[in-house]
Amino acid sequence: MRRGPARRTPGTGRRLTGGALACAAVLATAAPADAAGGPRFGAPAWVPTGRGPHGLVAADFNQDGAVDVATADSVGGAVSVLAGDGHGGLYRRAAVRVAGGPRRLAAADLDADGDPDLLVANQTPTVTVLRGGPGHTFTPAGTYRVGTAGAVLAVGDLSGDGDPDLAVTEEEADRVAVWHGGPGATFAAADPLRVGRAPRGVAAADLDGDADLDLAVAESASGAVSVLLNDGAGRFAARVAAAAVGGGPHAVAVGHFDADADADLAVAAGRGDRVWVLRGGPGATFGPPAGYPTDPGPFDLVAADLDGDGDPDLAVASPGSAHLTVLAGTAGAGFAAPVALPAGLPLAVAAADLDRDGRPDLVASDFAANRVTVHRNAT
């Protein structure tokens, strides 16, 4: 696994969706392939954004069948909308000004009009709602005060009423706040949920097999991952510690890594240069964590079947080494040796089929170079 020079990481995912400008892409040498037969990627391409892209999200914002990408440009004070051409290319279509310093993003159809909307976590600290419209247009539709600058967001129908709700990490207060969605992309007052110390990551998924969305939380100062179980109406039981993982966990992803019916967890631990995988059992119980090495400073991760073998793989943004780390999943929740892909200073990563070939591609924000890195899947 290649090691790059250390860099400082700044400031330390109703229906969900995960002028013409020339397409800007600069090619480099091909990324290494996994000798064990895991996912392979072609030469990376770089696409300009605004200044200091931090969070990103992929969705078909204009409903043309091609996946687009939005980035939270934390230095530039805007959200960049990168339009997809359906062949793997992206170009900067628009920049939407957002007061407060955008940091993280989530996407969902909040108002049931068929167009994905954006939720922007800012440094002020606030969350701004941008309602999507025709042709990659977005209109501010409200701002909500939250408890942490640049909070991590998870969106989903937590209360079972058909309206997307929002879970927001509040790191300084040691809690996760749940904002209940209502008509017209609005949110009611938050319900605070007590968790362990310094929650930095949150994911919404059905963890106990009862068909409603629960919450998994990465607690940085506690060195643990915890679970909040939903009763189906958006009311959550008290925190249950799933496992101690140490190493300052930053992010958590959910997948079925061992091919059974129980949800498993993957946690990026920034101080230990590890991803910890917890195999799930009945009733949101979890076995002891198994650690897998990454490039230095894992900060964000995504689970997706990158090589089409039916086993979810992991892609990890590791800004401490200027790489993405790809861990190919194997039968039984195991992972092959890590493969490093060049990515600049990646603070977020997403998996989406940009070229419509049926295989997920990878896109990562490059904070220092004001761009995103695209790795098209060549498996």
Side-chain angles (χ1 to χ4, degrees):
M1 183 169 55
R2 293 186 292 168
R3 304 285 184 181
R7 302 194 192 187
R8 183 178 178 181
T9 302
T12 10
R14 213 152 319 201
R15 286 156 296 280
L16 303 182
T17 55
L21 299 176
C23 180
V26 181
L27 298 182
T29 57
D34 184 349
R40 300 182 301 277
F41 296 88
W46 292 284
V47 183
T49 66
R51 291 185 296 147
H54 191 125
L56 60 76
V57 66
D60 184 3
F61 295 121
N62 64 336
Q63 299 296 292
D64 65 350
V67 175
D68 312 302
V69 172
T71 62
D73 302 335
S74 59
V75 179
V79 171
S80 286
V81 181
L82 309 178
D85 63 9
H87 303 287
L90 296 168
Y91 64 94
R92 196 179 185 207
R93 178 70 175 81
V96 184
R97 301 296 302 177
V98 177
R103 185 92 166 267
R104 313 268 189 174
L105 292 174
D109 183 6
L110 302 176
D111 51 9
D113 65 353
D115 295 315
D117 310 298
L118 287 172
L119 294 149
V120 189
N122 304 305
Q123 299 176 66
T124 34
T126 56
V127 171
T128 299
V129 176
L130 299 177
R131 294 179 70 170
H136 301 102
T137 59
F138 288 90
T139 304
T143 298
Y144 300 85
R145 174 71 58 174
V146 296
T148 293
V152 177
L153 310 175
V155 62
D157 185 5
L158 301 175
S159 55
D161 62 358
D163 295 313
D165 308 301
L166 181 64
V168 183
T169 59
E170 296 192 344
E171 184 176 345
E172 289 83 1
D174 298 335
R175 65 190 186 189
V176 172
V178 172
W179 293 77
H180 294 285
T186 59
F187 291 91
D191 292 333
L193 306 173
R194 182 64 58 184
V195 296
R197 291 183 296 137
R200 286 190 177 174
V202 62
D206 181 10
L207 301 177
D208 55 3
D210 63 357
D212 53 55
L213 297 179
D214 310 298
L215 297 175
V217 184
E219 302 167 355
S220 180
S222 297
V225 58
S226 65
V227 169
L228 299 167
L229 295 180
N230 189 352
D231 69 356
R235 297 182 294 264
F236 290 83
R239 166 192 181 267
V240 175
V245 295
H250 283 297
V252 58
V254 182
H256 291 276
F257 302 121
D258 55 4
D260 65 9
D262 300 310
D264 310 307
L265 301 178
V267 185
R271 291 196 297 270
D273 298 338
R274 291 284 188 278
V275 166
W276 296 96
V277 175
L278 288 70
R279 296 179 63 174
T285 57
F286 294 90
Y292 298 90
T294 70
D295 278 279
F299 192 75
D300 190 29
L301 78 169
V302 64
D305 184 5
L306 300 174
D307 54 7
D309 65 353
D311 297 312
D313 311 299
L314 293 170
V316 186
S318 299
S321 67
H323 290 125
L324 295 179
T325 303
V326 175
L327 298 168
T330 61
F335 289 87
V339 173
L341 305 176
L345 191 66
L347 298 184
V349 59
D353 186 5
L354 300 178
D355 51 11
R356 295 185 289 197
D357 65 354
R359 299 171 297 196
D361 308 296
L362 296 176
V363 57
S365 60
D366 183 349
F367 180 89
N370 304 324
R371 64 191 185 185
V372 297
T373 305
V374 176
H375 287 279
R376 288 177 62 182
N377 199 323
T379 306

